[in-house]
Amino acid sequence: MLDEDRANMDRLADRLRERLERTGYAARYRLADLSYAVGVATPTRTVAGAYWSYEPTNAHGDDPGLAALDALADDATVLDVGAHVGEYAVPLARGTGRRVVAFEPDPLSAARLGRTVARNGVRDRVDVRRVAVGATDGTRPFYRSSFSKLSSLDPAHAGAWGATVEAVETVPVRRIDDLVGESVPAPDGIKIDVEGAADAVLRGAERTIESHRPLLVVERHPDDRRASIRERLTDRGYAIEPAADAWICRPETADG
């Protein structure tokens, strides 16, 4: 009976925790909508330096993945795949000579990203592309979430944590391998945060990874194809370091 009572208490605690997290998400996005509507940008400190942000929270202030990318040279090129509103792209570009190509297919997030880029004076260094990135070129349905960061090519992700799918639109999808050398410089670093589609992004970047050996920061989500991602990168000579909610993946040198 004690074991059964304990199990019931654990289930109750899990449900309460999930409810609180959903309530927190909803409150955060309502505050963000208000902040952008009013036009209030505040100084935000991160491990990559301070920048002006319209976001009500500083979710990436001490982000180890952001710190790893900030350790790249000041003239590095970084691909920010799933840029959202620029929490990585803008501090990486501000105060440096880095070029960031920021991919964000969600129209609301892309507009807010452009606004943050302009507020920080980095239009010449952050190139905003309103396209998705994947394993093949083409078009895909894109599910716009009421929680903009959850917008995704996967409707299950767009509806997670109490969010709802607000609209579905067709977006272009490009492979990194087709973009590099066409309209994008060879990257020194790639950050991937694409709500469950990291494996597809990596499959579309195999030639780039083999040829240019960029630092990779891959956001981990619960249902990502983690085993596939790990195998893909270790087979290509990358050392994988778990750090908070991401993998920091560094190309191993010839001497190990």
Side-chain angles (χ1 to χ4, degrees), residues 67-211:
L69 290 165
D70 187 53
L72 295 172
D74 276 2
D75 61 351
T77 295
V78 177
L79 308 187
D80 187 351
V81 183
H84 193 225
V85 298
E87 299 103 319
Y88 269 66
V90 173
L92 285 172
R94 193 171 191 265
T96 74
R98 295 189 192 107
R99 178 180 180 186
V100 181
V101 184
F103 298 94
E104 179 48 63
D106 180 79
L108 175 63
S109 296
R112 290 178 173 181
L113 168 58
R115 187 171 176 181
T116 303
V117 165
R119 178 65 180 82
N120 284 275
V122 291
R123 279 178 169 163
D124 60 332
R125 296 191 296 286
V126 179
D127 179 3
V128 179
R129 308 279 183 100
R130 224 205 105 190
V131 300
V133 177
T136 58
D137 280 359
T139 59
R140 291 273 305 276
F142 184 78
Y143 300 87
R144 292 173 53 192
S145 176
S146 56
F147 298 169
S148 61
K149 194 170 178 62
L150 300 182
S151 295
S152 174
L153 297 171
D154 181 348
H157 278 275
W161 297 107
T164 58
V165 175
E166 293 192 324
V168 183
E169 62 178 82
T170 300
V171 300
V173 182
R174 298 297 310 275
R175 299 168 71 242
I176 287 176
D177 281 347
D178 292 331
L179 292 170
V180 171
E182 174 191 286
S183 62
V184 172
D188 301 289
I190 305 175
K191 168 257 187 178
I192 304 171
D193 184 1
V194 285
E195 301 305 319
D199 188 62
V201 173
L202 290 168
R203 282 187 283 124
E206 289 184 346
R207 186 174 65 247
T208 300
I209 290 170
E210 289 281 5
S211 299

Side-chain angles (χ1 to χ4, degrees), residues 46-48 59-68 88 217 219 243-244 246 248:
T46 78
V47 290
H60 298 280
D62 59 355
D63 190 310
L66 179 58
Y88 269 66
V217 175
E219 192 78 6
I248 299 173

